[in-house]
Amino acid sequence: MAAPALERILSDLLEPDSAGIRQATERLREALEEPEGPEGLVELLRGAGRPQIRHLAALLLRKRLRKLPQELIDRLPHVIVEALDRETDSCSRGALGHLGAKLLLLGGPKFWEPLEKWIREAARDPQKMEGALRVVGVAVGVAGPALSGSGPALLALSRGGALRVVGVAVGVAGPALSGSGPALLALSRGVLRAGAAPGAACAALGALGALVALVGHKKTNLLRSLVPEVLAALEELLTLDEERGADALEVLDEFLEANPESLIPHLKPVLELCLQVAGDEGRGDAVRVRALATLTFLAQKRPRALLRGSLLPQLLRGLLVPLCAPLSPQSPDPEESWGGEGRPCPRHGAAQVLDALAQGLPPEKLLKELLPLLEGPGRGGCAGGRKGALLALAALARGCGSALRQRYLGVVLGALRAGLGDPEGAVRGAAAAAMRELREELQPELSDLAAQVLPLALGPLWGSPNSPNADPKSWFLLEALLEALGEGVEPWLPQVLPRISAALEAPEEPRGRELALSALHALACGPGPLPLPSPLVAAVAAWPGGGSSSCRPWRCWPPLAPPRWGRGCWRRWSWRCHWPTAATPRPRG
C-alpha cells in the first residue's frame, strides 16, 4: 500500500472514534500483509506531516522488525539517521532511538554504526544536542550492554569542540567482569557543566539515569563522584524550567534504586535540594510533589542512613513546611472540593514521606523527634497547621500505632478530640482520617470519644446534606465515627438513619446520595446485625443499576450483593470512595 493511503489509516487510528478505530485496525492489518506495506511505513518515518504518525510508523516497524525483508532491514539504519536529521519532535526521536537499539540487538554493531556517526555529528551541533541525548538515553535503556563498544562515539556528546558541554556526556567502557566472559557492563561517565539549555539538560540527565540503572552496584565510587555534578545540574534546571526539572529529578531515584550507597555521602545536599523545592510555595505543585516523592523513596530505601547522619531533624522540619502550610481558598487541597482527585498536593506528599519513615525507623526515635515539632502547629491558630498535624498522626499509624498507644495515648486522644470538634471542616476531615487509621490501636477509648463527638457531628457541625453544595467532609466524619463506635452504634441509629434516608430521597443531589450510601455501607459492615427499616432497604434496592459502579447498591448494602463479593471488597471500595486524600496510607487487609 502506498504511503499516502497508509497515512490516512494511521490518522484514523488517532481519532477518538471507537468504530473508526476498529475499522482502521482491520485495514491496517491487511495493509501490512501487502508487500508494499513495510515500504510505506519507511516513507512515513521520513515524510509524514504529523509527529504522531511518524511515531506510530516507528513503533510498527519495531514490532514487525523480524518479519521485514532483509533488504529493508539493511537499509533501515540509514533511513533512521535520515529521519533523525529531520525530526523535531522529542517523542518521535525517542521512538527512532528505540528502533535503532532493536536493530542493534537484532543484527549486531554494523546496524549501530550509522547512528554512531550521527551522534558524533550531533555532538557538534547545538540544535541537535538534545535529540542526540534523547536517542542515547533510549538506546542505553533498551540495549545497554550491547553498546559497550561504542564509548568513543557516546563520549563525543560531551567533547564536541563547537559546544560548551552543558549536559551529560556518556562514555562507555566495557571491562570484563570475569576472565572468561565478555564485557558485560557499560560504564557511564558524565561531565555536567553550567550553561545547558533546559531541553538538553533534561535529556542529558535522563540518559544518565538510564546508564546509572545499567551500571548497578558495581561502580560505587564512580557513581558517588557524579552526584555533586548531578545535583548542581538539577538545581540549575529547576531554576530554568520547572516541568523539565520535575522529570529530571527521577535521576536521583535511579541512584537510589541502582546503588544507594553512592548517594549516602551526599544525603545532606540531596535533602536540602528536595526540601527547598518542596517548601517553595512559588513553585508549581507538580514539581514540589515530585521532590517529595524522591524523599519518600529515600525513606523507603535507606531510612537508617538519616539517623546515622543526624539528618532526621532537618528532614522533619523541612516536611512541616508543606505539611502545615496555610489553607488556600484559591488552591484547595484535592479532598476539599468535588472533582479534586488526582491533583498533586504537597501536603499529601509530605505525609507520604512520614508514612515511609514510620515504617522504616524505630518508632521511639521517630516519635521523639516528630511529636514536639507537631505540638506548635497542632495547637496554633493556623487551620492548615492543625490539619497537617492530624495528617501526620494518620501517616504514623501503620508504623508507629502501637507505640502511640503505649506511650502517647492521652496526647493522641486529646489531639483527635480537638480536631473532631474544630470549627474548620478541613481540620475535622483530617481528624476523621487519623481516627480511622488509628482505630485498631486506640480501642476501646476511641469508641468513647466517638460517642462524645457524634452529637456535634449530627448537630452544629453538620452541613446540609441535600444542598447543591453537599459537604463531603461532614459525611466522611460521620462514617469515621460510626466505624469507631462499633457495637455501640445501635443507640444512635434513630438519629443517623433519618439523615441517610433524607439524602437518599433527594434525587436532585446525586453526590449526597452516594455519600449516604457510603455511610450506610459503614453501618452494614459493623460487627453486629443491623436492623434497618424496610423503607430504607427499599430505597437502596431501588437505586439505579447504571452509571458509576461505585453508586450501585450492593457496594453499600452487602445483602443485596452478588455472592462473589466479600467483605474485603467492601473495605477496599470504601477506602477509594471516602475522603480522597493521598496523605494517609491504605489500610491493611
Side-chain angles (χ1 to χ4, degrees):
M1 179 176 287
L6 195 57
E7 185 171 5
R8 286 193 293 273
I9 294 176
L10 297 183
S11 296
D12 291 340
L13 284 174
L14 298 174
E15 295 300 323
D17 180 1
S18 300
I21 289 173
R22 285 194 295 270
Q23 295 175 6
T25 301
E26 194 61 36
R27 285 158 48 209
L28 177 63
R29 187 178 293 112
E30 296 172 358
L32 293 180
E33 294 300 326
E34 299 178 6
E36 300 85 1
E39 286 289 349
L41 289 177
V42 170
E43 289 300 318
L44 294 180
L45 204 64
R46 295 179 293 192
R50 295 173 63 185
Q52 296 91 334
I53 300 294
R54 301 194 295 271
H55 190 168
L56 193 52
L59 185 149
L60 291 169
L61 284 169
R62 189 178 82 234
K63 294 292 185 183
R64 302 178 60 85
L65 197 55
R66 295 182 181 276
K67 299 180 181 180
L68 299 180
Q70 187 60 45
E71 180 271 335
L72 179 57
I73 291 177
D74 292 338
R75 286 193 292 114
L76 203 50
H78 302 280
V79 174
I80 292 173
V81 167
E82 185 180 344
L84 281 170
D85 217 35
R86 300 178 180 180
E87 190 57 67
T88 57
D89 179 70
S90 177
C91 292
S92 298
R93 282 198 204 102
L96 290 168
H98 198 164
L99 178 57
K102 286 293 186 181
L103 278 171
L104 169 64
L105 294 175
L106 177 67
K110 67 177 183 179
F111 287 115
W112 182 254
E113 290 173 2
L115 274 77
E116 182 177 328
K117 180 180 178 182
W118 181 82
I119 287 171
R120 284 200 303 269
E121 295 173 354
R124 296 188 290 270
D125 186 345
Q127 295 182 349
K128 295 180 181 179
M129 169 65 82
E130 180 179 349
L133 289 167
R134 169 75 171 165
V135 171
V136 169
V138 172
V140 169
V142 174
L147 292 173
S148 59
S150 301
L154 301 185
L155 188 59
L157 279 173
S158 68
R159 295 178 179 171
L163 179 67
R164 291 179 61 195
V165 180
V166 294
V168 165
V170 183
V172 180
L177 298 181
S178 66
S180 58
L184 299 177
L185 193 60
L187 172 62
S188 147
R189 178 68 186 180
V191 181
L192 299 166
R193 299 178 183 173
C202 181
L205 289 166
L208 178 60
L211 288 169
V212 167
L214 176 66
V215 169
H217 63 282
K218 299 294 183 181
K219 300 293 178 182
T220 300
N221 290 335
L222 176 61
L223 295 181
R224 187 177 295 155
S225 69
L226 288 173
V227 175
E229 298 162 27
V230 169
L231 293 175
L234 282 171
E235 187 172 0
E236 183 173 359
L237 181 57
L238 286 164
T239 302
L240 296 174
D241 190 319
E242 278 190 4
E243 185 176 354
R244 287 189 168 110
D247 293 337
L249 280 169
E250 188 175 349
V251 71
L252 296 178
D253 295 355
E254 297 291 355
F255 274 87
L256 284 167
E257 181 67 37
N259 194 322
E261 297 306 318
S262 66
L263 209 59
I264 297 305
H266 305 284
L267 274 186
K268 185 172 183 179
V270 170
L271 288 181
E272 289 173 349
L273 174 63
C274 292
L275 290 174
Q276 187 277 326
V277 173
D280 186 353
E281 296 186 5
R283 295 183 183 271
D285 285 348
V287 69
R288 297 175 68 195
V289 169
R290 186 63 190 80
L292 288 164
T294 296
L295 294 176
T296 300
F297 196 45
L298 170 61
Q300 292 169 343
K301 299 293 287 187
R302 286 295 186 273
R304 291 179 181 269
L306 297 167
L307 292 178
R308 290 194 297 269
S310 301
L311 296 172
L312 183 59
Q314 176 186 355
L315 174 58
L316 295 177
R317 287 194 298 270
L319 290 177
L320 289 190
V321 176
L323 183 67
C324 297
L327 301 178
S328 172
Q330 292 76 26
S331 180
D333 291 346
E335 70 275 9
E336 303 300 335
S337 60
W338 286 105
E341 300 88 340
R343 287 196 288 107
C345 178
R347 196 187 310 275
H348 297 171
Q352 287 172 338
V353 182
L354 291 179
D355 177 37
L357 290 171
Q359 296 182 72
L361 292 176
E364 63 278 4
K365 293 187 180 295
L366 177 59
L367 295 177
K368 178 183 176 181
E369 297 287 350
L370 179 59
L371 292 185
L373 294 176
L374 294 177
E375 186 174 354
R379 296 179 177 179
C382 174
R386 301 196 299 274
K387 175 179 179 178
L390 289 163
L391 289 182
L393 284 181
L396 294 172
R398 281 201 289 185
C400 303
S402 298
L404 286 172
R405 174 173 182 81
Q406 293 169 8
R407 301 183 183 182
Y408 302 98
L409 179 60
V411 173
V412 173
L413 289 175
L416 291 178
R417 183 179 291 105
L420 292 170
D422 197 279
E424 180 64 49
V427 180
R428 297 196 299 273
M435 184 170 66
R436 299 186 75 179
E437 293 306 303
L438 293 164
R439 185 176 58 197
E440 294 181 7
E441 286 79 8
L442 299 187
Q443 292 292 9
E445 292 83 358
L446 201 60
S447 294
D448 298 334
L449 176 60
Q452 297 172 25
V453 176
L454 190 57
L456 292 175
L458 292 171
L461 300 180
W462 184 266
S464 177
N466 302 322
S467 69
N469 300 313
D471 183 7
K473 293 186 290 296
S474 297
W475 285 103
F476 181 73
L477 175 59
L478 175 62
E479 246 183 273
L481 294 172
L482 294 177
E483 290 177 350
L485 282 169
E487 296 180 354
V489 73
E490 190 168 350
W492 298 96
L493 292 180
Q495 298 181 53
V496 172
L497 293 181
R499 196 66 54 94
I500 295 176
S501 298
L504 291 175
E505 294 169 2
E508 72 279 0
E509 186 46 59
R511 288 171 175 169
R513 296 168 73 187
E514 181 179 349
L515 292 168
L517 284 171
S518 185
L520 185 59
H521 157 262
L523 287 171
C525 288
L530 179 65
L532 291 183
S534 53
L536 182 57
V537 175
V540 176
W543 186 269
S548 169
S549 62
S550 64
C551 296
R552 293 173 185 166
W554 58 75
R555 292 185 177 270
C556 304
W557 183 228
L560 298 176
R564 63 187 177 87
W565 287 83
R567 183 165 175 175
C569 296
W570 312 135
R571 287 185 174 176
R572 285 192 289 274
W573 170 80
S574 178
W575 176 259
R576 291 193 296 271
C577 184
H578 286 159
W579 198 41
T581 173
T584 49
R586 290 178 182 270
R588 292 164 288 182

XYZ file of all heavy atoms in Angstrom, residues 37-39 41-43 45 56-66 68 72 76 79 99:
183
model
N 3.521 -2.707 2.153
C 3.191 -2.146 3.452
C 4.404 -1.658 4.239
O 4.449 -0.501 4.680
N 5.429 -2.478 4.461
C 6.608 -2.004 5.189
C 7.298 -0.816 4.538
O 7.771 0.092 5.222
C 7.511 -3.237 5.226
C 6.586 -4.400 5.098
C 5.500 -3.929 4.201
N 7.346 -0.810 3.189
C 7.952 0.328 2.484
C 7.162 1.601 2.748
O 7.731 2.693 2.869
C 8.035 0.042 0.987
C 9.095 -0.954 0.584
C 10.500 -0.387 0.723
O 10.646 0.836 0.940
O 11.451 -1.175 0.646
N 5.568 2.275 5.510
C 5.929 2.731 6.852
C 7.264 3.468 6.848
O 7.443 4.464 7.556
C 6.000 1.539 7.807
C 4.674 0.875 8.186
C 4.930 -0.343 9.073
C 3.757 1.858 8.913
N 8.206 2.967 6.051
C 9.507 3.625 5.957
C 9.359 5.036 5.396
O 9.995 5.990 5.871
C 10.474 2.785 5.100
C 11.739 3.573 4.780
C 10.833 1.497 5.822
N 8.513 5.189 4.404
C 8.287 6.520 3.833
C 7.657 7.456 4.866
O 8.023 8.635 4.954
C 7.388 6.417 2.598
C 8.055 5.776 1.390
C 9.285 6.552 0.947
O 9.223 7.799 0.931
O 10.312 5.924 0.658
N 8.038 7.244 8.027
C 9.058 7.526 9.028
C 9.814 8.807 8.700
O 10.202 9.573 9.581
C 10.023 6.342 9.098
C 10.814 6.113 10.371
C 9.885 5.793 11.520
C 11.797 4.965 10.168
N 4.097 6.527 15.318
C 3.389 5.256 15.129
C 4.062 4.394 14.075
O 4.132 3.159 14.217
C 1.931 5.553 14.746
C 0.932 4.393 14.805
C 0.983 3.703 16.156
C -0.474 4.903 14.529
N 4.588 5.012 13.031
C 5.301 4.251 11.996
C 6.550 3.594 12.578
O 6.852 2.425 12.296
C 5.671 5.169 10.837
N 7.285 4.318 13.414
C 8.473 3.734 14.052
C 8.088 2.580 14.965
O 8.766 1.538 15.002
C 9.222 4.817 14.837
N 6.994 2.745 15.698
C 6.554 1.679 16.592
C 6.169 0.426 15.805
O 6.537 -0.701 16.183
C 5.379 2.184 17.426
C 4.835 1.269 18.513
C 4.289 2.107 19.669
C 3.722 0.365 17.996
N 5.434 0.595 14.697
C 5.011 -0.558 13.897
C 6.210 -1.265 13.264
O 6.252 -2.503 13.219
C 4.022 -0.111 12.818
C 2.646 0.339 13.331
C 1.855 1.007 12.217
C 1.871 -0.870 13.879
N 7.178 -0.502 12.795
C 8.377 -1.120 12.235
C 9.129 -1.902 13.305
O 9.659 -2.989 13.044
C 9.286 -0.053 11.616
C 8.844 0.505 10.260
C 9.677 1.725 9.890
C 8.975 -0.579 9.180
N 9.176 -1.352 14.517
C 9.882 -2.056 15.596
C 9.172 -3.356 15.951
O 9.805 -4.389 16.172
C 9.953 -1.147 16.824
C 10.837 -1.686 17.924
C 10.908 -0.721 19.085
N 9.769 -0.830 19.972
C 8.984 0.156 20.327
N 9.194 1.379 19.857
N 7.979 -0.035 21.155
N 7.837 -3.323 16.001
C 7.084 -4.520 16.348
C 7.204 -5.607 15.284
O 7.152 -6.798 15.603
C 5.607 -4.161 16.558
C 5.337 -3.256 17.749
C 5.613 -3.957 19.058
C 5.220 -3.085 20.252
N 5.561 -3.735 21.540
N 7.367 -5.193 14.024
C 7.418 -6.163 12.925
C 8.848 -6.373 12.409
O 9.029 -6.858 11.288
C 6.517 -5.681 11.786
C 5.072 -5.479 12.180
C 4.245 -4.960 11.023
N 4.242 -5.877 9.893
C 3.413 -6.897 9.769
N 2.526 -7.162 10.723
N 3.460 -7.680 8.710
N 9.821 -6.015 13.208
C 11.194 -5.982 12.715
C 11.648 -7.333 12.165
O 12.272 -7.418 11.099
C 12.121 -5.530 13.849
C 13.513 -5.050 13.454
C 13.451 -3.934 12.423
C 14.270 -4.568 14.686
N 11.347 -8.388 12.867
C 11.806 -9.707 12.433
C 11.072 -10.220 11.206
O 11.515 -11.181 10.566
C 11.662 -10.710 13.573
C 12.566 -10.407 14.760
C 12.423 -11.449 15.853
N 13.277 -11.141 16.992
C 14.563 -11.467 17.077
N 15.133 -12.140 16.075
N 15.263 -11.152 18.141
N 10.379 -8.200 8.571
C 10.701 -7.352 7.429
C 11.664 -8.069 6.496
O 12.476 -8.907 6.924
C 11.336 -6.046 7.916
C 10.483 -5.147 8.824
C 11.263 -3.904 9.199
C 9.179 -4.784 8.143
N 15.272 -4.598 3.346
C 14.758 -3.423 4.041
C 15.456 -3.252 5.392
O 15.780 -2.123 5.795
C 13.248 -3.555 4.231
C 12.546 -2.409 4.964
C 12.805 -1.079 4.264
C 11.050 -2.665 5.079
N 17.436 0.075 6.795
C 16.729 0.785 7.856
C 17.638 1.680 8.712
O 17.226 2.791 9.076
C 15.987 -0.229 8.738
C 14.785 0.294 9.539
C 13.830 1.066 8.633
C 14.056 -0.875 10.200
N 17.904 4.898 6.972
C 16.617 5.596 6.991
C 16.401 6.267 8.351
O 15.929 7.407 8.444
C 15.477 4.605 6.690
C 14.119 5.290 6.866
C 15.608 4.043 5.289
N 13.940 2.109 17.940
C 14.043 1.264 16.747
C 15.498 0.955 16.430
O 15.862 -0.188 16.101
C 13.358 1.969 15.568
C 13.410 1.255 14.214
C 12.803 -0.136 14.300
C 12.687 2.087 13.152
